Amino acid sequence: MKRLILPLLLAACVHGDGPAPGWQRLVQSRIVPSPQSIKVTGDGFYALRTGCAVEVVTPVAAAEVRALVNRDFARCWKAEPSLTIKEAASTIIADGYRLKVTSDLCRIEASDLGGIGNALKTVRQIGESERGVLKSLQVNVPCVEVEDFPVLPFRGMHFCLLPEYPAGRLERDIRLAAYYKFNYAVIESWGVLRLDRHPEYSWDEYHITADEMRRLVKVGKELGITLIPQINLLGHASASRHGSGKHVLLDQHPEYASLFEPDGWTWCISNPATRKYLEEMVEETYEVFDKPPFFHVGCDEAYSLGKCQVCSRDIGSYFSEHLLHFQKFLSERGCRMMMWHDMLLDGSDPRWKGYTACGSKTVKSTEVMKSLPKDVLVCVWEYGYPQGEDGSAPKWDSTIYFKDEGFDVLVCPWLNVPGIKAQAKLAGKEKFFGLLETTWHLSSLTSRMEILFALTSCYAWYPEHPLMGVESSAMVNLHIRQVNQDLGAKSYHQFGSAAYQIPLHQSQ
Ligand SMILES: [Zn+2]
């Protein structure tokens, strides 16, 4: 039976008697994140090659549109389109777009550059190589009509720039996040970004220069993703994983011990020299990131806060003063402070049972939280799916608490799929500011990247989407290949989703 059906289907495709059964679904499943609506119109194709007709309808200045479209065509298809730009007002929301592809025209409507770029990302994802040749010279795009826009205004990923990352890893992650229509990426340097003011706060063997980070910021901007710097102003002061025992500064410079609490994990925030040291790093990093609209100051898991002879006298006051100082420092520059939530929640409060709360009465978490200005963006990280004792769905009480206190909130899941879905849906329903997906040390291997990048982008884009499923993330290896080629990857360990197919110690 199968032998009979297959030739019939192929015949239908070749002879243009209408699209093959399931063609709509196949085209749709290529797009990450899944669009709000897509209709495949017939079985024709639009050939992406030099001279192909592109029309953009937008209120954006023509010069900016031309630069974006020509740059994307050169990068993605090594082609130069025949571009027409029509200036017109648009009611499409930020980053949204309307796309109509026919066999002789690709028409894009959007109200901003983000929307135009997103339409081109969709075009790239649905396109496929011409068929029946040895070497492909052309990409064909199915004829479609797409209406698409994001539900959450802030769709971010959090990346750790670790010393162990191979060259190009961070750029790959930034490019893939942008390809999946995330519009922000928080970059937390783990002793890797070398600053002029404090070069000693980076590893000699593994640092990258400030100019390299400036280049990545520019790459992100061209791709529609804004890079946000992170410097941990409370805990995680070693810029190293706790379990590694390393300390970016104290291992080689023990003379700086007075800047930290005795164990080195948390900054000593009663010391004026600490504040000056951190201020200098924040200021330079802010410039390196080209004056971003947000700056993440970490502040999670500061377990040894207030443990030295001075801080222990009145840690609540020092804690509050420290945060207010940096909030003001950033606010004066037109930049909003982002911080993790957990030190602002008193862990002994039974309301937060099951949720992450690392604060305490000793450090006066509740009072400190209440002292903060409401322009602080609270990033609530919850990596699990904390069901009630009766097995009921999580209520996310601690997340809603920050909204009720008047803050803009980002939900921050990790690898737990039910947790990602539930928190994204909560963000959509409660109209939170958005979602920030964490990756930590695990932004490699296809199986993880399907969750961290692909699945999460679907939920951040459209939390209630009825079509999302495994299919949406099935193309991730192709997309990784595309972005690796975009960035000019050349060596074995740069290609694919992981540097090595098996851990190196197993191959020796
Ligand atoms: Zn101290």
Side-chain angles (χ1 to χ4, degrees):
M1 194 62 184
K2 275 182 187 167
R3 286 185 180 181
L4 184 65
I5 290 172
L6 193 57
L8 285 174
L9 292 180
L10 285 172
C13 293
V14 170
H15 297 298
D17 296 333
W23 182 230
Q24 160 88 25
R25 179 86 191 174
L26 284 174
V27 172
Q28 193 171 293
S29 68
R30 293 174 180 178
I31 308 171
V32 182
S34 306
Q36 300 273 348
S37 88
I38 174 169
K39 188 173 151 210
V40 178
T41 54
D43 63 346
F45 288 97
Y46 169 84
L48 272 165
R49 59 186 170 216
T50 291
C52 62
V54 176
E55 181 180 283
V56 180
V57 182
T58 181
V60 181
E64 290 181 69
V65 177
R66 191 169 298 281
L68 170 70
V69 174
N70 286 339
R71 194 171 57 230
D72 277 10
F73 263 74
R75 173 171 54 84
C76 302
W77 304 295
K78 313 277 181 284
E80 193 179 327
S82 171
L83 177 61
T84 308
I85 301 165
K86 292 187 177 170
E87 194 178 332
S90 173
T91 55
I92 296 172
I93 67 169
D95 291 341
Y97 62 93
R98 192 171 289 136
L99 170 70
K100 185 173 182 183
V101 180
T102 60
S103 56
D104 53 8
L105 179 68
C106 173
R107 185 180 188 277
I108 294 166
E109 192 185 331
S111 63
D112 58 1
L113 282 175
I116 299 166
N118 284 337
L120 292 169
K121 289 165 191 171
T122 296
V123 169
R124 190 181 197 189
Q125 289 180 350
I126 60 176
E128 68 174 66
S129 154
E130 59 182 320
R131 299 286 121 191
V133 294
L134 174 65
K135 293 186 179 180
S136 169
L137 295 172
Q138 177 181 301
V139 169
N140 290 333
V141 182
C143 296
V144 290
E145 290 179 13
V146 182
E147 296 255 2
D148 204 11
F149 57 89
V151 170
L152 300 180
F154 186 111
R155 306 170 304 283
M157 291 197 73
H158 177 272
F159 294 126
C160 297
L161 180 52
L162 284 149
E164 286 81 0
Y165 275 7
R169 168 65 58 84
L170 179 64
E171 183 171 351
R172 179 201 75 179
D173 288 352
I174 291 167
R175 286 178 176 274
L176 189 63
Y179 198 22
Y180 287 170
K181 303 184 177 110
F182 285 97
N183 55 351
Y184 291 99
V186 175
I187 312 297
E188 177 182 344
S189 164
W190 289 44
V192 174
L193 174 60
R194 174 151 287 189
L195 299 171
D196 290 342
R197 301 283 278 278
H198 291 295
E200 71 284 352
Y201 198 76
S202 60
W203 298 100
D204 286 334
E205 311 94 313
Y206 294 111
H207 71 268
I208 67 165
T209 63
D211 279 345
E212 169 62 0
M213 186 53 79
R214 286 188 186 96
R215 186 187 71 79
L216 292 172
V217 169
K218 188 163 174 283
V219 165
K221 198 162 279 185
E222 290 184 353
L223 296 169
I225 190 166
T226 301
L227 304 196
I228 297 169
Q230 177 173 340
I231 294 181
N232 293 307
L233 299 186
L234 216 56
H236 287 262
S238 62
S240 306
R241 300 185 72 198
H242 190 270
S244 75
K246 296 182 192 296
H247 198 296
V248 68
L249 191 55
L250 293 182
D251 283 345
Q252 295 175 89
H253 299 279
E255 67 274 19
Y256 284 106
S258 60
L259 299 185
F260 303 90
E261 294 306 279
D263 69 352
W265 178 251
T266 307
W267 294 99
C268 176
I269 58 175
S270 63
N271 184 350
T274 306
R275 180 166 297 175
K276 184 159 187 298
Y277 191 91
L278 289 172
E279 223 175 54
E280 287 166 354
M281 286 210 292
V282 168
E283 188 166 42
E284 186 178 343
T285 307
Y286 175 73
E287 295 292 332
V288 168
F289 278 69
D290 197 21
K291 303 180 180 171
F294 302 99
F295 196 111
H296 202 311
V297 297
C299 295
D300 56 325
E301 301 179 318
Y303 300 118
S304 57
L305 183 64
K307 296 283 193 274
C308 80
Q309 55 176 296
V310 180
C311 290
S312 58
R313 289 180 200 147
D314 187 9
I315 187 56
S317 300
Y318 289 125
F319 184 15
S320 173
E321 206 180 290
H322 185 67
L323 292 181
L324 290 174
H325 175 80
F326 282 99
Q327 181 278 332
K328 184 162 176 280
F329 187 83
L330 292 165
S331 175
E332 285 169 353
R333 288 158 177 78
C335 180
R336 289 179 69 180
M337 186 166 96
M338 299 168 69
M339 66 178 290
W340 302 119
H341 80 292
D342 54 280
M343 291 303 294
L344 302 176
L345 284 185
D346 179 353
S348 67
D349 187 326
R351 286 178 297 170
W352 318 136
K353 193 177 173 211
Y355 296 96
T356 308
C358 300
S360 63
K361 287 193 174 49
T362 309
V363 303
K364 298 186 179 166
S365 292
T366 307
E367 291 93 319
V368 171
M369 183 275 290
K370 290 195 182 279
S371 74
L372 290 175
K374 302 302 186 230
D375 82 325
V376 173
L377 185 49
V378 180
C379 306
V380 183
W381 60 274
E382 294 294 347
Y383 299 151
Y385 184 73
Q387 290 170 291
E389 282 171 8
D390 57 354
S392 57
K395 293 192 174 69
W396 309 106
D397 287 339
S398 56
T399 313
I400 292 167
Y401 170 70
F402 284 104
K403 187 202 171 194
D404 290 345
E405 287 290 331
F407 293 100
D408 278 335
V409 169
L410 295 183
V411 292
C412 308
W414 189 13
L415 274 164
N416 183 297
V417 173
I420 293 167
K421 290 180 183 180
Q423 289 180 81
K425 287 185 178 192
L426 178 76
K429 183 167 150 265
E430 296 282 340
K431 301 207 181 319
F432 288 165
F433 201 56
L435 179 148
L436 180 66
E437 171 69 0
T438 63
T439 60
W440 301 108
H441 56 294
L442 299 175
S443 74
S444 64
L445 289 179
T446 305
S447 56
R448 283 195 212 117
M449 291 178 74
E450 284 182 352
I451 295 171
L452 298 171
F453 289 78
L455 187 84
T456 306
S457 82
C458 290
Y459 279 97
W461 186 261
Y462 189 1
E464 296 291 340
H465 202 298
L467 300 170
M468 279 185 301
V470 178
E471 274 184 292
S472 298
S473 58
M475 304 293 279
V476 70
N477 275 344
L478 166 65
H479 299 149
I480 291 169
R481 191 170 307 126
Q482 288 173 325
V483 300
N484 273 332
Q485 286 167 356
D486 287 352
L487 69 84
K490 294 280 181 237
S491 65
Y492 175 80
H493 71 268
Q494 282 184 296
F495 290 118
S497 60
Y500 301 99
Q501 299 183 63
I502 54 174
L504 269 188
H505 65 271
Q506 286 182 18
S507 64
Q508 287 166 350

